[in-house]
Amino acid sequence: MPKMPAFRQVGEKQLPNAVLFMVWSPKRDLIALANRAGELLLHRLANFQRVWSLPPNENTGKKITSLAWRPDGKILAFSVGDTKQVILCDVEKAEILHSFPVEQPVSCMHWMDVSEDNSVFSSFYNEDESDLFLPKLPALPESYSTTSKIFSEDKSDEIMNLLGEVRLNILVLGGESGYTELYAYGMYKITTLTGVPGTCRSLCLSSDLKSLSLITEVKTTDCDPEIHYIQFDTSLLSSCLPEVTRMARKFTHISTLLQYQKLSLTCMGEAWEDILMQMDLRLTKFVQEKNTDTSVQDEFLDLLLWGKSSRELKALLMNQLTVKGLKKLGQSIESSYSNIQKLVISHLQSGSKALLYHLSELKGMALWKQKYNPLGLDASGIEDAITAVGSFTLKANELLQVIDKSMKNFKAFFRWLYGAMLRMSEDHVLPELSKMTQKDIAFVADFLSENFSEQPELYDRKGKYFNVERVGQYLKDEDEDLVSPPNTEGNQWTSFVQNSTHLKESPLLFPYYPEKSLHFVRREMEGVIELCLQKPAEIIGKSVTLATSIPLYTVPASAEVVPRLFDLPSLWNDKKSSLHYVVFTMPEVSPCKLYVMRRATDPSRSVPNGLLAIDLGNFLNSSIDESAEASRYSCLDARMYDDETLTVVLKEAVEEEEESRGRILAQLPLSPVYTGEDEFAWDPLLRLDQQSGGIPAHNLVLENQRRTLENMKAQYVAVNGIRKVACVLSRSLQHIRVFEMDVEDEEEEDRLESQDAGADPDRLEESLGSQAAGEGQDSSEEQPSTSETATPRLEKDSGM
């Protein structure tokens, strides 16, 4: 066998918190870690430098339960158990881009993209012409909202293209009680599976979309839990790939636009200032304190018409409101209303137009029943969604009219009141302020009669008698009706519709909710849209059928609990050969064997050598290690490095020699294993561990494809064959070593082994542990060496 390059160690760290998950980026030399403290960490290969950390917070949650990279390596998905959420994080800036709730805590996830072989569908992918017809959505202003930063100028393109590459990619989630769902582009749910037994421990969707492989743990009342391999036939996704892709892109656009609308309303709410409440509250206080029977409205009308004011009104204006306060209030109202008006026109209306465009296209797709009826697209549900967006647009237009009217009223009112207060204080009044035409007086009088009448019923609801300021009620995220709905008396269109028998209940007119706030109508719109987006997931889910279910082995109830990611079996999808690989051990039955099962992604196709075992006894070449002839090994962890190679962590089966000999990191080539023609005869009535003696076993002889891990109780490994890297984690879940797998570095290996000779592994683990404990007092990792002191940035990998 030709000599292979040695593994080169490029980093080693003792971390302050136990690592629960570790996953290599598919595109770059970056590894994501989640620890027991709820932190999400990103490290680079070189010296295992930390690039960034995302601490846990109350909004997202504190218990990370699984990790997955988007296939292009730009977004990292993680699930949080305590809040039942899945969160998409931008790898470049460690910022949360999107999140959605899930029914069950997610125990495992897998993110795949469709094989490039499906280039025949490229014409379908390029049919989204929304960029040609829709203007670019303006970025939300950061000055109003911290949450709006995810739609800020430099990132709005990235967010609106959360779709990533044009090719379809699917995030698969699995959890307890058979919970399994598929999300197109990591955002839109396209499949909800039913009938999955047990709790998902691992899953893998084939890149040709023909099948989904699951490893589940099925608990029974009287026996130990059983590990099952299950394969589902997802051929509907494969046969309707162009339609699924186009539908998913539309739905993802719509989901993102709903988030944009919600954030636009948040910004509008923050542009409205609390100072605008001062007028209402001070007038209420005036009513409570004054001794006269005269109403507030009459007091102001007397001042307007006769220039006379009572002692109480003068005290209110000069002592509480003050000339300076009036100017400030006027400026605040003008600034606030102007900002809200801009947000409605540039953001809310733009987003509504984009929503109508995508929903209309979706309706057209639904009417093409031959193509889209099997996927569950419902034209009537989409029509309801279009109607809901229309109602939201009407409410936004109503707010614009209220703002426009309020700005005119307040300007005229404050201009008159400013002059009146100057006269009260006997200051010089500018000629332009003292000039008021009969029309101006009538305008202010109408404003006073409409807004300054006391409303005792309002006091019970809001603790005030007045609602002079009419804009804020539209921006409150409450279920209550508007305090002062718009007055539609005399509106010719309203009268015409009400008096028309045919138009009154016409489906051609968008429903109008005059009593409701903008937030209420937005929530109604979201509910209707989400209802129409849910049906395809149910219909596609019903088309998914169970193709294979194989009980593998039992897990002793007393087995050590380890993080889900590290549990064997591990799954792998061989895209070139259209195969699912299942790698597992059965330590209770045969501790020195590693099992590899292959299933075709097309459930109707059989595979030769579908199940075999690799005998780990006497497999090290005696020319390298004389003592290895008498050694037998068991596998602690195994991951597919690529389609033809397994990366394994081994330990000697003889417990007494475990401490002195250490663990072994090895690469097992699979091609020599598949040369035989021995087929395993399945007995479907028995569990696999009950018939393991009949599984064909093969021996392997290795040359330089292994490395002894001195002074480390290695237990788990994460690999990436594309980037040729591996990360080994100790049994304590805190000691990590990182390797470049295909780099020749004999001298480095010799130097490390000579340094480690004679060292006590337990003492090293303890010293590293105490070092980490001291460093962990401030919840940070160990300080980097001199070469690591600069804050690392996420730069383009030269190997890309």
Side-chain angles (χ1 to χ4, degrees):
M1 183 176 284
K3 188 176 179 181
M4 299 288 289
F7 312 151
R8 180 164 70 107
Q9 182 176 322
V10 293
E12 182 171 7
K13 281 277 174 76
Q14 183 77 13
L15 303 176
N17 292 300
V19 173
L20 300 182
F21 303 97
M22 54 182 185
V23 189
W24 283 102
S25 165
K27 294 290 185 181
R28 300 161 78 173
D29 295 335
L30 300 167
I31 189 169
L33 308 175
N35 62 28
R36 195 159 275 157
E39 292 178 293
L40 181 64
L41 308 167
L42 190 70
H43 285 259
R44 68 169 68 254
L45 175 67
N47 298 319
F48 206 68
Q49 274 187 306
R50 188 169 70 180
V51 180
W52 53 251
S53 66
L54 192 67
N57 65 60
E58 295 178 357
N59 296 326
T60 58
K62 300 179 180 179
K63 186 180 178 183
I64 296 177
T65 58
S66 58
L67 286 178
W69 287 84
R70 194 168 76 178
D72 63 3
K74 293 181 179 179
I75 290 180
L76 190 60
F78 63 97
S79 60
V80 188
D82 48 337
T83 57
K84 295 184 182 179
Q85 287 188 94
V86 172
I87 296 162
L88 306 186
C89 174
D90 180 10
V91 175
E92 288 289 336
K93 298 186 179 180
E95 290 178 352
I96 293 171
L97 304 181
H98 183 70
S99 64
F100 56 88
V102 288
E103 295 175 9
Q104 297 275 356
V106 175
S107 56
C108 55
M109 56 171 63
H110 171 239
W111 207 335
M112 57 70 64
D113 57 358
V114 176
S115 299
E116 295 181 17
D117 297 340
N118 292 295
S119 55
V120 66
F121 301 125
S122 60
S123 60
F124 289 94
Y125 295 154
N126 297 323
E127 288 186 9
D128 186 359
E129 298 176 332
S130 57
D131 290 342
L132 300 176
F133 299 111
L134 292 172
K136 182 180 175 183
L137 287 177
L140 292 172
E142 291 187 38
S143 55
Y144 297 134
S145 173
T146 54
T147 54
S148 70
K149 288 181 180 178
I150 71 170
F151 278 102
S152 58
E153 192 68 52
D154 61 332
K155 292 187 62 186
S156 56
D157 286 344
E158 172 67 19
I159 301 304
M160 298 315 292
N161 291 311
L162 259 176
L163 298 162
E165 294 180 357
V166 176
R167 268 192 305 144
L168 179 65
N169 59 71
I170 296 177
L171 176 64
V172 192
L173 309 177
E176 298 177 2
S177 306
Y179 169 80
T180 311
E181 292 183 335
L182 279 64
Y183 285 77
Y185 301 105
M187 294 181 65
Y188 161 60
K189 183 163 63 179
I190 55 169
T191 310
T192 301
L193 262 64
T194 56
V196 180
T199 298
C200 288
R201 290 178 51 158
S202 184
L203 35 75
C204 181
L205 181 64
S206 65
S207 60
D208 58 12
L209 296 185
K210 290 183 178 179
S211 62
L212 170 67
S213 283
L214 298 169
I215 299 295
T216 66
E217 180 179 321
V218 181
K219 294 181 180 179
T220 56
T221 53
D222 53 345
C223 301
D224 290 334
E226 288 185 349
I227 301 299
H228 286 226
Y229 168 74
I230 299 170
Q231 187 178 20
F232 280 96
D233 185 342
T234 57
S235 55
L236 179 65
L237 293 176
S238 177
S239 59
C240 298
L241 176 59
E243 291 78 20
V244 169
T245 302
R246 195 185 303 156
M247 182 180 74
R249 290 182 70 80
K250 280 293 165 202
F251 278 20
T252 311
H253 270 301
I254 291 165
S255 298
T256 311
L257 284 167
L258 288 176
Q259 185 186 16
Y260 180 82
Q261 295 292 71
K262 186 175 182 179
L263 288 174
S264 297
L265 265 175
T266 302
C267 289
M268 287 163 57
E270 293 177 4
W272 185 86
E273 299 178 20
D274 288 337
I275 193 175
L276 307 185
M277 295 286 292
Q278 288 187 12
M279 179 69 74
D280 296 336
L281 296 175
R282 283 173 177 161
L283 288 174
T284 297
K285 188 178 180 183
F286 173 62
V287 170
Q288 292 170 329
E289 293 179 354
K290 71 184 179 67
N291 298 319
T292 61
D293 295 332
T294 317
S295 68
V296 173
Q297 188 182 80
D298 291 341
E299 293 263 7
F300 274 95
L301 283 172
D302 284 346
L303 181 61
L304 173 66
L305 297 175
W306 315 113
K308 296 178 182 179
S309 64
S310 65
R311 191 187 314 165
E312 290 89 347
L313 180 60
K314 186 173 182 179
L316 167 72
L317 296 176
M318 303 307 296
N319 299 336
Q320 292 189 35
L321 190 58
T322 74
V323 175
K324 187 177 180 181
L326 182 70
K327 286 184 71 174
K328 185 179 179 182
L329 185 59
Q331 290 168 354
S332 296
I333 285 179
E334 185 172 2
S335 170
S336 178
Y337 283 6
S338 177
N339 287 330
I340 294 171
Q341 196 174 40
K342 288 174 185 174
L343 285 167
V344 174
I345 294 170
S346 62
H347 296 76
L348 221 54
Q349 290 188 331
S350 298
S352 296
K353 289 175 183 175
L355 269 174
L356 282 173
Y357 172 87
H358 288 295
L359 285 168
S360 299
E361 283 214 329
L362 203 60
K363 183 185 173 186
M365 289 158 58
L367 293 173
W368 192 357
K369 295 187 177 180
Q370 180 188 358
K371 292 282 188 182
Y372 291 97
N373 205 41
L375 300 178
L377 265 191
D378 178 24
S380 62
I382 299 168
E383 184 63 48
D384 292 341
I386 291 172
T387 302
V389 176
S391 296
F392 179 73
T393 306
L394 285 179
K395 183 56 70 171
N397 287 336
E398 179 189 309
L399 176 58
L400 284 179
Q401 293 172 7
V402 171
I403 291 174
D404 191 53
K405 183 179 179 183
S406 295
M407 287 180 79
K408 289 178 182 176
N409 289 341
F410 275 119
K411 277 185 179 179
F413 173 68
F414 284 146
R415 182 174 179 273
W416 160 72
L417 192 58
Y418 183 62
M421 290 173 68
L422 286 177
R423 280 190 287 272
M424 285 181 190
S425 61
E426 298 181 354
D427 283 352
H428 174 66
V429 182
L430 296 173
E432 57 267 23
L433 288 176
S434 60
K435 290 179 182 177
M436 284 195 72
T437 64
Q438 195 65 34
K439 186 177 180 181
D440 293 336
I441 294 173
F443 193 80
V444 175
D446 288 342
F447 176 71
L448 290 171
S449 63
E450 185 178 346
N451 294 275
F452 280 67
S453 56
E454 294 176 29
Q455 303 177 55
E457 72 282 357
L458 182 60
Y459 189 80
D460 297 331
R461 288 175 57 190
K462 300 290 184 182
K464 59 184 184 177
Y465 291 111
F466 301 90
N467 191 43
V468 179
E469 198 283 313
R470 300 289 173 90
V471 173
Q473 59 183 346
Y474 285 86
L475 307 176
K476 300 292 183 185
D477 195 359
E478 301 170 352
D479 290 329
E480 292 184 14
D481 291 349
L482 295 177
V483 174
S484 302
N487 185 4
T488 57
E489 290 182 16
N491 186 302
Q492 294 180 347
W493 171 252
T494 306
S495 302
F496 174 65
V497 171
Q498 291 300 322
N499 295 328
S500 171
T501 308
H502 300 291
L503 284 178
K504 194 171 183 180
E505 302 295 333
S506 173
L508 298 174
L509 298 180
F510 295 139
Y512 177 52
Y513 304 97
E515 305 288 331
K516 300 298 183 182
S517 72
L518 193 57
H519 265 288
F520 179 88
V521 181
R522 177 193 61 79
R523 286 199 303 270
E524 289 289 305
M525 173 184 72
E526 275 191 355
V528 174
I529 291 177
E530 286 172 4
L531 193 64
C532 92
L533 300 190
Q534 287 173 3
K535 191 174 179 182
E538 298 171 10
I539 299 299
I540 296 174
K542 289 176 182 177
S543 76
V544 177
T545 55
L546 180 65
T548 305
S549 180
I550 303 172
L552 298 179
Y553 54 91
T554 59
V555 180
S558 60
E560 184 181 355
V561 177
V562 296
R564 288 284 182 218
L565 181 77
F566 303 133
D567 283 352
L568 287 176
S570 64
L571 295 172
W572 174 264
N573 175 216
D574 181 346
K575 299 180 180 180
K576 294 178 183 176
S577 304
S578 297
L579 294 174
H580 284 296
Y581 279 82
V582 189
V583 182
F584 58 98
T585 59
M586 293 189 284
E588 301 297 314
V589 178
S590 46
C592 295
K593 286 184 179 178
L594 179 64
Y595 297 91
V596 182
M597 183 166 66
R598 299 192 301 178
R599 309 288 299 186
T601 57
D602 182 351
S604 62
R605 184 166 65 93
S606 62
V607 179
N609 293 312
L611 177 64
L612 51 81
I614 299 174
D615 193 339
L616 300 176
N618 302 328
F619 79 98
L620 291 182
N621 190 309
S622 59
S623 65
I624 295 178
D625 191 348
E626 295 288 342
S627 62
E629 287 188 27
S631 300
R632 293 179 64 80
Y633 291 86
S634 61
C635 180
L636 298 174
D637 198 12
R639 305 287 150 176
M640 293 294 292
Y641 184 74
D642 54 34
D643 293 338
E644 299 175 350
T645 311
L646 259 176
T647 304
V648 295
V649 176
L650 307 174
K651 75 167 184 176
E652 286 196 45
V654 183
E655 291 294 332
E656 291 77 11
E657 298 184 14
E658 177 186 349
E659 302 299 333
S660 61
R661 292 193 177 274
R663 310 295 168 89
I664 291 175
L665 177 67
Q667 298 280 69
L668 306 184
L670 293 180
S671 52
V673 177
Y674 287 107
T675 54
E677 297 182 358
D678 297 333
E679 288 293 331
F680 173 60
W682 290 88
D683 184 347
L685 300 177
L686 296 176
R687 214 173 40 236
L688 187 63
D689 58 0
Q690 296 170 337
Q691 49 183 324
S692 60
I695 300 175
H698 296 263
N699 292 312
L700 284 177
V701 177
L702 302 183
E703 287 284 345
N704 199 32
Q705 298 166 279
R706 88 316 175 249
R707 174 173 182 146
T708 303
L709 301 172
E710 297 287 353
N711 304 321
M712 182 183 191
K713 295 177 183 176
Q715 189 86 8
Y716 311 109
V717 65
V719 295
N720 182 346
I722 298 174
R723 308 303 300 172
K724 303 184 186 307
V725 289
C727 184
V728 180
L729 181 64
S730 70
R731 189 170 62 189
S732 68
L733 305 179
Q734 291 181 264
H735 185 188
I736 275 184
R737 286 184 186 171
V738 190
F739 297 92
E740 288 183 346
M741 301 299 282
D742 291 350
V743 178
E744 189 165 1
D745 191 13
E746 303 284 353
E747 295 178 2
E748 169 72 3
E749 183 175 0
D750 294 338
R751 183 180 63 80
L752 287 171
E753 289 182 356
S754 64
Q755 282 181 355
D756 294 339
D760 184 350
D762 286 336
R763 192 177 302 166
L764 178 63
E765 292 269 356
E766 289 172 9
S767 65
L768 285 170
S770 61
Q771 176 188 1
E775 291 158 352
Q777 290 175 359
D778 59 352
S779 299
S780 62
E781 293 182 51
E782 60 181 304
Q783 294 297 318
S785 61
T786 308
S787 62
E788 297 180 52
T789 50
T791 302
R793 291 189 308 110
L794 202 57
E795 297 171 344
K796 292 290 181 185
D797 196 298
S798 58
M800 286 292 289

